[in-house]
Amino acid sequence: MSEGNSAVSGNTNIDRLTGLPRKQGLYDPSFEHDACGVGFVANVKGRKSHDIVRQGLEILLNLDHRGACGCEANTGDGAGILIQIPDAFLRKAAQACNITLPASGEYGVGMIFLPPNDGDRGRCEAVFEKIVAEEGQRFLGWRSVPVNNGSLGETAKASQPVIRQAFIGRASGLKDDLAFERRLYIIRKRAEKAIRYAENRPSSGEWFYACSVSCRTIVYKGMLMPVQVDQFFPDLQNPEVVSALALVHSRFSTNTFPSWGRSHPYRFIAHNGEINTLRGNVNWMHAREALLASEWLAGDVSKILPTINEDGSDSAMFDNCLELLVLGGRSLAHSMMMMIPEPWSNHEGMSPELKAFYQYHSCLMEPWDGPASVAFTDGIRIGACLDRNGLRPSRFYVTKDDLVVMASEVGVLDIAPERVQTKGRLQPGRMFLIDTEQGRIISDDELKKTVSAALPYQQWLKDKLVKLAELPEPSHVAEPSHETVLQRQQAFGY
């Protein structure tokens, strides 16, 4: 927020870091949920085009009724689009800012919300640049993202951040883009933590928020209505902005407060529904942090703690966990199967290998459960998954010319019937995945068979699982003396 919003910084019921209300009355920020519209369009063969971006925005427009606005009809709860990095476009845009980009894949882009105040923004940028250097990467420069806020309501304008792109060059020692993605993840987490706890941090508003920091994907989003997204971001109208996939979201905040950062998509997901088990999920994630270890993040685990940012909504926290699992070494499908497992324990038709997979991972992580449809992508693969009860529908079309459209409802794109090859709806607990690298749709059965057979989960359960019923009888403990009973009752809360 700008310096003019002194009422925010002076109001004790408003968090001076986020600009959002604190816990008060019937409102508790730990119950942030939303009911929204979500969808994606992708070319199965990975062919990039501006048409994919336009079709993604068209899906967003047709999901407009699934979003919401405040008392101002032109202030939305949030909308956005995630696409692959458009190299040719960004190369020209960076050149106009006197930034020379290395080859495609050799640089990452951060899409970052910054404070409007020059002093606060300069301090945030200095911290970010310093951390990039400390992590062995090359900071290449900043680009101010062109925006047009003429269609925005006053509420959205009042909290509008400055939006800038940070270009980061990849160090020569990183062998592939996934290793670079991990380094960019660490940079983002460190910057968030450093700025949050800095003594000279900005006094209010969304002072630093990274929509995305990646060498694969970029997110354009904000406290917008679907119709405002490409109006606000002229970049998206440029024919050189191309992608093979586009993930979009129109937000409806049910018992939450809209903000620029809470708009979707996040870095890996867009979500329709709610996670009812959130408090337990987050508590368990915090409890496990002392035991976290990864050969892929060796020596860097402490830099990414806390893994879950509790200022976010349930969707944002789900995204925090998913990115940890993926960048910690698991595949995207594997990670989603851990977080949203099928009902497996009494499933008579499920293979022993898949049951063993779910049983093994139930010892590592509890399900993130609730009525939810989650669309997810790592910039190469894109898919969707339904909760075990299938309470949030997801429907898809596959055309004869390799286009896939998935959304929370039908009719989001006009497709002639003769173009349609198959159509259907996602089943409870099932996953729908397109791999643009392989150029094909991978069926739920094949996907789960491959993941569950990758490691000997059945053998691990047989060798390592300890059942309570099989533990030896405990040795007899003498009854405490009568004089100490009251003391013991008080100590244990009786």
Side-chain angles (χ1 to χ4, degrees):
M1 288 186 176
S2 66
E3 289 180 305
N5 292 318
S6 56
V8 173
S9 55
N11 187 343
T12 57
N13 288 326
I14 300 293
D15 189 304
R16 74 186 191 91
L17 295 180
T18 65
L20 297 168
R22 300 179 189 276
K23 180 178 179 180
Q24 55 188 290
L26 296 176
Y27 172 70
D28 187 334
S30 67
F31 296 111
E32 294 282 2
H33 297 304
D34 41 44
C36 318
V38 63
F40 68 75
V41 58
N43 183 284
V44 177
K45 303 300 183 185
R47 289 190 288 268
K48 296 183 179 183
S49 70
H50 186 62
D51 284 343
I52 291 288
V53 179
R54 297 307 310 167
Q55 287 168 327
L57 292 168
E58 186 179 342
I59 291 173
L60 192 55
L61 284 175
N62 288 325
L63 291 170
D64 184 43
H65 64 287
R66 295 298 299 271
C69 61
C71 58
E72 294 173 345
N74 52 358
T75 292
D77 277 15
I81 183 170
L82 178 153
I83 58 175
Q84 293 172 326
I85 285 179
D87 176 65
F89 168 77
L90 287 177
R91 194 167 295 281
K92 288 183 180 178
Q95 189 67 45
C97 302
N98 297 315
I99 301 168
T100 302
L101 296 181
S104 176
E106 294 294 318
Y107 67 92
V109 185
M111 189 76 159
I112 299 176
F113 293 163
L114 292 158
N117 175 270
D118 290 344
D120 286 341
R121 185 169 64 254
R123 285 190 289 272
C124 290
E125 291 175 350
V127 169
F128 189 83
E129 293 173 28
K130 180 173 179 285
I131 290 171
V132 169
E134 289 174 353
E135 291 301 323
Q137 311 308 303
R138 293 176 293 124
F139 186 79
L140 303 175
W142 293 96
R143 174 195 179 228
S144 292
V145 178
V147 297
N148 177 5
N149 67 0
S151 65
L152 269 59
E154 292 305 313
T155 303
K157 287 180 181 178
S159 57
Q160 180 184 330
V162 168
I163 305 174
R164 304 196 77 190
Q165 288 170 343
F167 293 96
I168 303 165
R170 172 173 151 184
S172 58
L174 297 178
K175 61 181 181 179
D176 55 34
D177 65 346
L178 192 52
F180 189 28
E181 281 288 279
R182 292 189 180 103
R183 196 53 46 189
L184 295 173
Y185 170 55
I186 292 165
I187 288 169
R188 194 198 87 232
K189 294 289 284 186
R190 283 193 60 193
E192 288 171 346
K193 188 161 51 174
I195 294 169
R196 171 178 298 278
Y197 298 115
E199 290 183 7
N200 57 351
R201 63 193 172 197
S203 59
S204 64
E206 288 203 82
W207 33 273
F208 178 90
Y209 177 82
C211 304
S212 58
V213 183
S214 173
C215 64
R216 292 177 173 178
T217 59
I218 189 167
V219 173
Y220 285 83
K221 71 175 186 178
M223 196 169 161
L224 308 167
M225 301 177 69
V227 71
Q228 294 171 334
V229 173
D230 66 339
Q231 297 173 10
F232 184 77
F233 292 112
D235 281 4
L236 295 172
Q237 300 174 25
N238 192 303
E240 289 191 291
V241 173
V242 298
S243 179
L245 56 87
L247 174 60
V248 298
H249 188 275
S250 172
R251 190 165 191 255
F252 190 119
S253 309
T254 47
N255 57 345
T256 177
F257 285 89
S259 73
W260 284 80
R262 284 180 179 165
S263 308
H264 302 212
Y266 289 102
R267 293 130 197 152
F268 277 79
I269 70 148
H271 171 237
N272 172 30
E274 56 187 89
I275 306 298
N276 291 336
T277 57
L278 185 66
R279 187 69 266 160
N281 295 133
V282 173
N283 286 345
W284 276 112
M285 287 299 295
H286 285 324
R288 283 189 286 263
E289 284 179 353
L291 303 175
L292 284 181
S294 169
E295 62 178 294
W296 306 106
L297 296 169
D300 292 318
V301 171
S302 61
K303 297 177 182 178
I304 63 173
L305 302 180
T307 55
I308 306 294
N309 176 9
E310 293 195 54
D311 286 337
S313 65
D314 59 335
S315 311
M317 294 186 228
F318 186 102
D319 186 75
N320 290 159
C321 181
L322 180 61
E323 70 177 345
L324 173 70
L325 295 177
V326 172
L327 297 176
R330 294 173 175 85
S331 71
L332 187 60
H334 184 151
S335 303
M336 286 299 300
M337 287 168 66
M338 286 178 65
M339 295 185 69
I340 306 182
E342 293 178 77
W344 57 270
S345 55
N346 296 312
H347 195 311
E348 295 180 359
M350 185 178 288
S351 70
E353 293 80 12
L354 186 53
K355 266 191 179 179
F357 171 90
Y358 285 128
Q359 185 179 4
Y360 173 83
H361 286 93
S362 71
C363 300
L364 304 182
M365 174 175 284
E366 64 296 324
W368 292 63
D369 207 5
S373 172
V374 182
F376 52 86
T377 182
D378 61 3
I380 297 172
R381 289 150 283 272
I382 188 166
C385 184
L386 273 194
D387 66 275
R388 62 181 69 194
N389 296 310
L391 296 175
R392 299 281 183 182
S394 290
R395 295 177 173 86
F396 63 86
Y397 280 63
V398 182
T399 70
K400 296 172 184 175
D401 53 352
D402 298 319
L403 192 72
V404 176
V405 180
M406 194 290 301
S408 48
E409 54 204 88
V410 294
V412 292
L413 268 188
D414 289 329
I415 297 177
E418 59 270 19
R419 282 184 62 197
V420 177
Q421 179 175 300
T422 58
K423 59 182 178 179
R425 61 185 292 271
L426 207 51
Q427 301 298 315
R430 296 285 181 152
M431 196 179 297
F432 181 68
L433 187 73
I434 301 108
D435 190 321
T436 63
E437 205 167 55
Q438 295 184 34
R440 67 190 185 100
I441 298 170
I442 304 176
S443 71
D444 179 82
D445 288 340
E446 179 190 348
L447 190 69
K448 291 176 177 175
K449 183 177 181 181
T450 301
V451 172
S452 63
L455 293 167
Y457 296 110
Q458 283 182 298
Q459 191 63 44
W460 288 349
L461 289 171
K462 181 181 177 182
D463 294 343
K464 303 295 183 181
L465 188 65
V466 177
K467 296 181 179 179
L468 294 177
E470 297 173 359
L471 291 174
E473 288 293 323
S475 57
H476 178 70
V477 178
E479 291 185 10
S481 64
H482 180 73
E483 291 75 18
T484 65
V485 168
L486 179 60
Q487 181 183 17
R488 292 168 187 261
Q489 288 174 332
Q490 290 174 332
F492 289 95
Y494 285 94

